[in-house]
Amino acid sequence: MAAAHQVSAVIFNLDGTLLDTERATRDILNEFLAAYGKVPDAQKEEKRLGQMYLESTTGIISDYGLPLTVEEYSKAMHPLYLRRWQKAKPLPGVKRLVKHLHKNGVPLALASNSVRRNIDHKLPKLEDWGECFSVILGGDQVPNGKPSPDIFLEAAKRLGVNPSSCLVIEDSVVGVKGAKASGAKAVAVPSLQSQRKHYYIADVILYSLLDFDPELWRFPPFEDRIQGVLPIDPLPSNAGIGDKIINNLHWVISDDCTYECIPDQISGIYLGWAKSKVHGLSKVIIGTGWDFSQQTVERVMQVDFLDSSGRIETEPVKLLVIGYIRKLQSADAILQALNITDEDRSIAKEALDLPTFSEYANDLHLA
């Protein structure tokens, strides 16, 4: 967008936008279908992202030929989801953004395709900042769920604003479609990176809400960076250090544990700490993003060891990501986009000596 656009209220989706519930519940369907000798179809499941519960459930029963009614399926699955929802964590940047908007008097609503009773089970995961939302709506509280605009029209009505003066923040295509149909502006933060091309109707597409620019919507700017670095909740990772790229910059060999605690929305240049048996504790810069050049979209990561003057062994390493420096300059050429500059290194070295970041050198994950 070339110019700032005035909005008077913000409406958030819940699952995949505020809370990483998709990651927390990722294996439930696999386990459930295995009992019937079935395996999930990735393409079909991607299309279900953001659907109303009844539509999604009916589709699953039909697609996999399950000998169950909607009621029987729901009765079996609901306890499984309840347990996993308790493990869901807020996505990077959401707490910061919600509190910032609320502090500056911006009316906030939560509008989800989930039924209201399920929303109520998830709200405690928002901690105290869940109270910032003056309107909370579930898909069962309006005539039609997303991609119908009904829920956004109702949210705007309850907020006392015109839908065209609302900004909607969504992670699903159906949510973005509903937002645009209501006349609102839409910011997309895709939860499925392989589907980014389908979000073209959004006004802005971000990787995470760490990149949200309040001034683009005429809100007051953030003022919480410390010497150029935005502190984030720690993200631990167990990785393997692979081939050297140049000097002390290495590729990360990823496995199932590498991104277990790192949301799919994390992309950019970060700082943190690394610890290995051979080299001990080290300041690091982490560059991570998605490679769209191949038929299968893959996640890639590089680590630059700032303290090492010798040869870095290819060995397992514990990483703790604790600060965000900047977004990648390009999403097309991943090797070029991941380029770590001398300025990045200077910022990271100085920031990691500050108490805000240095205290994490003693984190239990690194012990």
Side-chain angles (χ1 to χ4, degrees):
M1 296 177 63
H5 182 86
Q6 181 72 54
V7 297
S8 55
V10 180
I11 303 171
F12 288 84
N13 179 47
L14 177 60
D15 299 298
T17 302
L18 295 179
L19 288 178
D20 199 2
T21 47
E22 273 85 359
R23 177 180 292 266
T25 60
R26 188 167 286 175
D27 297 326
I28 290 181
L29 185 62
N30 302 46
E31 297 167 4
F32 185 80
L33 291 179
Y36 294 89
K38 310 285 185 178
V39 177
D41 183 307
Q43 289 186 332
K44 290 180 179 178
E45 295 315 311
E46 286 182 359
K47 291 179 180 178
R48 268 188 266 277
L49 181 68
Q51 286 183 349
M52 288 286 291
Y53 180 76
L54 182 59
E55 181 184 7
S56 174
T57 300
T58 303
I60 290 172
I61 293 172
S62 174
D63 287 343
Y64 301 110
L66 300 179
L68 301 169
T69 64
V70 170
E71 291 73 19
E72 290 170 336
Y73 178 87
S74 300
K75 185 177 181 180
M77 292 292 274
H78 194 253
L80 304 179
Y81 277 100
L82 275 178
R83 286 195 291 272
R84 294 291 185 89
W85 286 334
Q86 304 314 307
K87 298 181 179 180
K89 296 181 179 180
L91 283 157
V94 301
K95 179 179 179 180
R96 171 202 190 208
L97 176 57
V98 169
K99 285 198 163 188
H100 178 75
L101 295 174
H102 181 67
K103 182 180 72 173
N104 286 285
V106 181
L108 303 178
L110 190 157
S112 170
N113 259 357
S114 292
V115 296
R116 183 56 195 261
R117 70 162 183 162
N118 289 346
I119 293 175
D120 291 339
H121 284 300
K122 301 167 192 174
L123 286 178
K125 302 302 294 182
L126 301 185
E127 303 168 346
D128 61 318
W129 51 278
E131 299 173 0
C132 296
F133 297 96
S134 57
V135 172
I136 297 175
L137 283 172
D140 57 336
Q141 293 178 280
V142 292
N144 300 289
K146 308 168 192 175
S148 162
D150 289 0
I151 198 166
F152 299 116
L153 296 174
E154 181 63 23
K157 179 182 177 182
R158 295 192 185 192
L159 288 171
V161 298
N162 193 299
S164 63
S165 67
C166 290
L167 175 66
V168 174
I169 301 178
E170 272 279 356
D171 74 296
S172 71
V173 174
V174 296
V176 172
K177 287 181 177 179
K180 296 300 293 181
S182 74
K185 295 293 183 180
V187 170
V189 191
S191 53
L192 290 175
Q193 302 306 317
S194 60
Q195 302 295 310
R196 286 186 74 83
K197 62 183 179 182
H198 298 304
Y199 290 79
Y200 60 89
I201 63 171
D203 296 281
V204 175
I205 305 175
L206 305 175
Y207 275 98
S208 81
L209 287 177
L210 295 173
D211 294 324
F212 185 90
D213 181 3
E215 292 179 275
L216 187 60
W217 310 99
R218 298 187 184 175
F219 297 135
F222 290 122
E223 295 179 346
D224 52 357
R225 282 184 175 259
I226 301 175
Q227 289 192 199
V229 181
L230 174 63
I232 63 172
D233 290 336
L235 300 172
S237 174
N238 294 302
I241 298 304
D243 295 336
K244 180 173 77 171
I245 301 170
I246 186 173
N247 298 326
N248 292 320
L249 181 63
H250 286 252
W251 287 110
V252 165
I253 302 172
S254 59
D255 58 23
D256 292 342
C257 297
T258 304
Y259 300 111
E260 185 177 357
C261 297
I262 300 183
D264 292 348
Q265 290 86 341
I266 287 291
S267 172
I269 305 299
Y270 296 79
L271 58 72
W273 295 94
K275 190 171 186 181
S276 66
K277 290 183 179 180
V278 175
H279 297 282
L281 190 68
S282 175
K283 297 176 180 177
V284 292
I285 293 182
I286 301 104
T288 184
W290 293 84
D291 185 357
F292 297 99
S293 65
Q294 308 298 320
Q295 188 172 1
T296 302
V297 177
E298 293 185 357
R299 201 170 194 180
V300 292
M301 182 185 288
Q302 297 176 356
V303 176
D304 195 345
F305 292 83
L306 301 176
D307 295 335
S308 180
S309 58
R311 180 175 180 270
I312 301 294
E313 301 291 336
T314 54
E315 60 168 329
V317 64
K318 290 184 176 182
L319 297 173
L320 193 67
V321 185
I322 56 174
Y324 181 51
I325 299 176
R326 62 174 175 85
K327 64 181 180 181
L328 301 183
Q329 297 304 313
S330 169
D332 299 323
I334 189 62
L335 296 183
Q336 181 179 350
L338 286 175
N339 181 49
I340 295 172
T341 67
D342 289 340
E343 183 180 5
D344 295 331
R345 294 184 179 92
S346 176
I347 289 173
K349 285 180 179 179
E350 292 183 14
L352 286 166
D353 284 332
L354 300 174
T356 300
F357 301 106
S358 64
E359 64 178 354
Y360 288 107
N362 300 314
D363 190 273
L364 289 176
H365 174 70
L366 300 174

